[in-house]
Amino acid sequence: MAAAFGAVFMRDILQAWRRRSDWLNALVFFVIVTSLFPLGVGADPKLLKAMAPGVVWVAALLAAMLSLPRVFGSDHADGTLEQLALAPQPLPLLVLAKVSAHWLLSGLPLALVAPVLGLQFGLEGTAIALLFVALLLGTPCLSLIGAVAAALTLGARGAGVLVALLVLPLYIPVLIFGAGAVEAWEAGTAPGAYLSLLAAGFLLALALTPWATAAAVRVALE
């Protein structure tokens, strides 16, 4: 099973490398949206610091949604997804491999770029570190939850809009806890509770969403 996981994971990474411009679009979108806010609201340091966590997290959430159709879309079109469903290995494991590749290609770059963007808002070292850690814990949740919606909308018209409608309500807790960690530090309170909730949400999503995604994939293939 480990070999099958690795094979699916590396296949998705190699495919993404051949189409790297598609994956870069989400990162460029994230950078542009986040960078425009300081230009639009002015240079007031207090206002920028107060806005920073929410702006970065909303931009990350929207950027993550842009890449969700690519989790299963191409495999569904060329029949690869049917072969994965017929494989002797558990489909939830193979789905988890694809979601892991999606996070490595979309979520991790957002977390790595966010500290640099945080400097635009005047965030200090500890706040930037908290933002980075929160994104490391939260972006896997975005990929895991989003994969369920991407599987549910396979083959549907207007799948992008349907994915947004399905995942936005589920993304709200991640947004609140992720931004709340930095806001708590700026307010002088401990951010540990927010990070703990993000970690708990990640573990819960890791335990449940691969099974839900696999079931949605089987329904889409019927």
Side-chain angles (χ1 to χ4, degrees):
M1 288 193 293
F5 182 97
V8 173
F9 179 84
M10 289 306 301
R11 175 184 176 276
D12 280 16
I13 296 296
L14 291 174
Q15 280 194 332
W17 176 252
R18 298 189 187 103
R19 303 175 182 176
R20 48 191 176 273
S21 60
D22 293 342
W23 290 94
L24 284 174
N25 288 340
L27 182 61
V28 172
F29 174 85
F30 175 65
V31 172
I32 291 175
V33 170
T34 309
S35 301
L36 287 177
F37 271 88
L39 299 176
V41 302
D44 184 356
K46 291 184 179 179
L47 178 60
L48 290 177
K49 276 190 177 182
M51 292 178 55
V55 169
V56 172
W57 265 97
V58 168
L61 186 151
L62 295 175
M65 283 198 303
L66 285 178
S67 60
L68 287 178
R70 288 189 287 275
V71 179
F72 301 111
S74 60
D75 288 346
H76 183 253
D78 63 14
T80 302
L81 202 57
E82 294 182 1
Q83 298 302 314
L84 292 178
L86 295 173
Q89 292 79 16
L91 184 57
L93 178 72
L94 304 182
V95 163
L96 183 59
K98 295 184 69 63
V99 175
S100 300
H102 174 267
W103 174 78
L104 185 66
L105 295 165
S106 62
L108 182 59
L110 299 182
L112 293 175
V113 171
V116 179
L117 299 176
L119 296 174
Q120 298 180 106
F121 295 87
L123 292 180
E124 299 174 355
T126 304
I128 289 176
L130 282 172
L131 180 64
F132 174 68
V133 172
L135 283 167
L136 277 182
L137 292 172
T139 48
C141 296
L142 302 183
S143 294
L144 288 164
I145 296 170
V148 181
L152 286 171
T153 57
L154 280 175
R157 292 184 179 179
V161 177
L162 290 175
V163 167
L165 292 174
L166 288 171
V167 301
L168 276 177
L170 300 174
Y171 278 179
I172 289 175
V174 182
L175 171 65
I176 293 173
F177 299 144
V182 183
E183 292 171 355
W185 172 261
E186 294 290 344
T189 58
Y194 293 96
L195 296 178
S196 297
L197 288 169
L198 274 178
F202 166 58
L203 293 176
L204 184 64
L206 184 62
L208 299 179
T209 57
W211 300 94
T213 306
V217 166
R218 293 191 186 280
V219 169
L221 294 176
E222 289 179 356

